[in-house]
């Protein structure tokens, strides 16, 4: 079955860095686009970044541009989110997601598969 497994979350001080990983297996190998979303209690999931498997093109939310970088390793079916210059407002549960659509979506509702989430806490 489709499975997305995230790792790399943790506690970091403001200005620090974390690298999140998402390993994909099963039917998700056919997914065209993968993305990262984050969520805090009381709010809907917020788009962070997305990448096209075929082209490698990346897209970022304005709030993380210049600080976060998404990348892929096609051989390992794994995507990464390098997070630098972290801010307290980046604190959230981060989710890896996948969609078979070739159109990069910035809203969580268009993604079909989700990981379990990994918590990122940035202290001030």
């Amino acid at each position: 079955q489709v499975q997305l497994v995230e790792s790399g979350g943790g506690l970091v001080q403001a200005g620090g860095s974390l690298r999140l990983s998402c390993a994909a297996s099963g039917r998700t190998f056919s997914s065209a686009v993968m993305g990262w979303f984050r969520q805090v209690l009381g709010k809907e999931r917020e788009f962070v970044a997305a990448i096209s498997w075929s082209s490698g093109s990346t897209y970022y939310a304005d709030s993380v541009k210049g600080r976060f970088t998404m990348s892929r390793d096609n051989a390992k079916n794994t995507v990464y989110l390098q997070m630098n210059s972290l801010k307290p407002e980046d604190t959230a549960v981060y989710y890896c997601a996948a969609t078979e659509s070739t159109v990069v979506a910035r809203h969580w509702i268009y993604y079909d598969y989700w990981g379990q989430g990994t918590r990122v806490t940035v202290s001030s």
Side-chain angles (χ1 to χ4, degrees), residues 4-31:
L4 302 176
V5 180
E6 300 121 318
S7 62
L11 174 64
V12 65
Q13 291 184 330
S17 299
L18 284 173
R19 182 179 175 87
L20 306 184
S21 299
C22 176
S25 62
R27 292 171 56 196
T28 196
F29 287 135
S30 65
S31 295

Side-chain angles (χ1 to χ4, degrees), residues 54-74:
S54 60
S55 69
S57 297
T58 53
Y59 307 85
Y60 300 95
D62 289 341
S63 59
V64 305
K65 284 182 179 178
R67 299 189 298 120
F68 292 8
T69 302
M70 192 171 180
S71 60
R72 58 168 162 79
D73 187 329
N74 293 56

Side-chain angles (χ1 to χ4, degrees), residues 2-4 27-28 30-31 96-100 111-115:
V2 175
Q3 186 174 12
L4 302 176
R27 292 171 56 196
T28 196
S30 65
S31 295
C96 177
T99 177
E100 295 180 1
Y111 286 77
D112 304 303
Y113 313 109
W114 295 87

